[in-house]
Amino acid sequence: MDFEKLTVKKELQGIEVQFDEPLANYTNTCTGGPADILALPASIQEVKRVIDWTNQKNVPLTVIGNASNLIVKNGGIRGMVMILTKLDRIKLLANQIIAQSGALLIDVAQKASEASLSGMEPLSGIPGSVGGAVFMNAGAYGGEISQVVKSVEVITRQGELKTYRGNELRFGYRHSRLQDEDEIVLQATFSLKAGNQEEIINAMREYSFLRASKQPLEYPSCGSVFKRPVGHYTGKLIHDAGLQGFQIGGAQVSKKHAGFIVNVDHATATDYMDVIHHIQRTIKEKFDVALETEVRIIGED
């Protein structure tokens, strides 16, 4: 799409705006084509201004958090991409933590441990933002974010502000109603319990150790690629199919954890997609199991 850059900058004055920006600079896979326009708002008011502008100009809007469980295709994204990582404030209020959508889960967990509050420990190693974690009900080691969410403030695509209680979010496995209604998380309130600080810190260290020992953190990746199919473990299926170490271009099925695809040598998003499709075909042929992607895939080929 063609945009008059000076006009856009003037109309969105005060908000950081970039043009033809490679999204590989922001994704955990280090892949992805350019965004026509990239906005990085630093407040809820700026988020609303971006949304109102896209509606007035009839410009498509794509919203990205920490881009830790995301693949952006090589063709990039047309229209406006809004990245929310600058919305990163975290506030403590008695036994609750209020965190903006761009705050990292590890930072929220750290804040909780400093206040001797328990509940965030299993989530502390997930390399995602609050917004993305709530949007997809992120989880690890038996914990899910749905277990600690008290309420969530969102903004609709029409710029309307809304608040949901945790039990209104229709949480499921890697799912929330926000996916169905395409609403944007602004901040979440977590309800935690008073605990023993030493035990909380030790639990976080244990989860960090487990993650580092089992996951290929030494390479860029998009995290866990596939949802767990009923009655199976995805990593075991991929391992048993002989796909560990399988590689197309620079994208490789991790030799450390078969549920991950890592960027070992300047991979492109197309390399990632080709590996994903090969895994899905192979697992279907060998075990008659259909693997669904957990990673979010967006953009143009």
Side-chain angles (χ1 to χ4, degrees), residues 39-183:
L40 294 107
S43 68
I44 289 171
Q45 291 76 16
E46 288 187 0
V47 171
K48 188 169 188 327
R49 279 182 60 203
V50 171
I51 291 172
D52 289 345
W53 183 87
T54 59
N55 286 329
Q56 290 161 11
K57 304 293 182 181
N58 199 28
V59 172
L61 172 65
T62 302
V63 181
I64 293 176
N66 194 47
S68 56
N69 198 216
L70 180 75
I71 293 172
V72 178
K73 294 181 182 179
N74 289 354
I77 300 176
R78 305 290 71 78
M80 170 72 81
V81 174
M82 179 166 62
I83 293 182
L84 299 179
T85 48
K86 285 190 170 186
L87 268 70
D88 60 357
R89 277 178 240 152
I90 303 169
K91 187 167 68 174
L92 180 67
L93 191 65
N95 282 9
Q96 298 177 5
I97 287 181
I98 302 166
Q100 289 186 320
S101 61
L104 296 178
L105 284 180
I106 182 61
D107 293 337
V108 176
Q110 184 63 37
K111 187 85 168 177
S113 72
E114 289 168 3
S116 301
L117 293 177
S118 178
M120 295 295 299
E121 296 92 319
L123 309 172
S124 62
I126 296 174
S129 62
V130 166
V134 171
F135 185 81
M136 68 170 292
N137 190 21
Y141 303 111
E144 290 184 334
I145 205 157
S146 57
Q147 296 164 351
V148 290
V149 170
K150 181 183 181 185
S151 63
V152 176
E153 291 179 32
V154 305
I155 188 165
T156 69
R157 296 285 173 154
Q158 293 71 45
E160 178 192 356
L161 296 169
K162 295 165 69 174
T163 301
Y164 290 114
R165 293 191 300 275
N167 59 9
E168 294 176 317
L169 285 163
R170 298 200 295 267
F171 282 120
Y173 176 61
R174 302 298 174 263
H175 184 268
S176 75
R177 75 180 290 171
L178 304 176
Q179 295 174 24
D180 303 327
E181 295 169 30
D182 200 20
E183 294 173 332

Side-chain angles (χ1 to χ4, degrees), residues 235-253:
K236 186 175 188 310
L237 286 172
I238 296 170
H239 175 269
D240 291 349
L243 291 175
Q244 213 154 358
F246 175 81
Q247 184 169 336
I248 295 176
Q252 181 189 79
V253 179

Side-chain angles (χ1 to χ4, degrees), residues 165-221:
R165 293 191 300 275
N167 59 9
E168 294 176 317
L169 285 163
R170 298 200 295 267
F171 282 120
Y173 176 61
R174 302 298 174 263
H175 184 268
S176 75
R177 75 180 290 171
L178 304 176
Q179 295 174 24
D180 303 327
E181 295 169 30
D182 200 20
E183 294 173 332
I184 302 158
V185 177
L186 294 174
Q187 67 180 27
T189 299
F190 300 106
S191 182
L192 306 173
K193 294 179 180 177
N196 179 282
Q197 187 176 57
E198 187 177 349
E199 290 175 3
I200 293 166
I201 291 170
N202 286 339
M204 285 173 60
R205 283 180 181 151
E206 177 67 18
Y207 288 125
S208 293
F209 170 77
L210 286 172
R211 184 168 172 269
S213 62
K214 292 181 179 179
Q215 296 181 14
L217 305 183
E218 62 273 26
Y219 292 109
S221 83

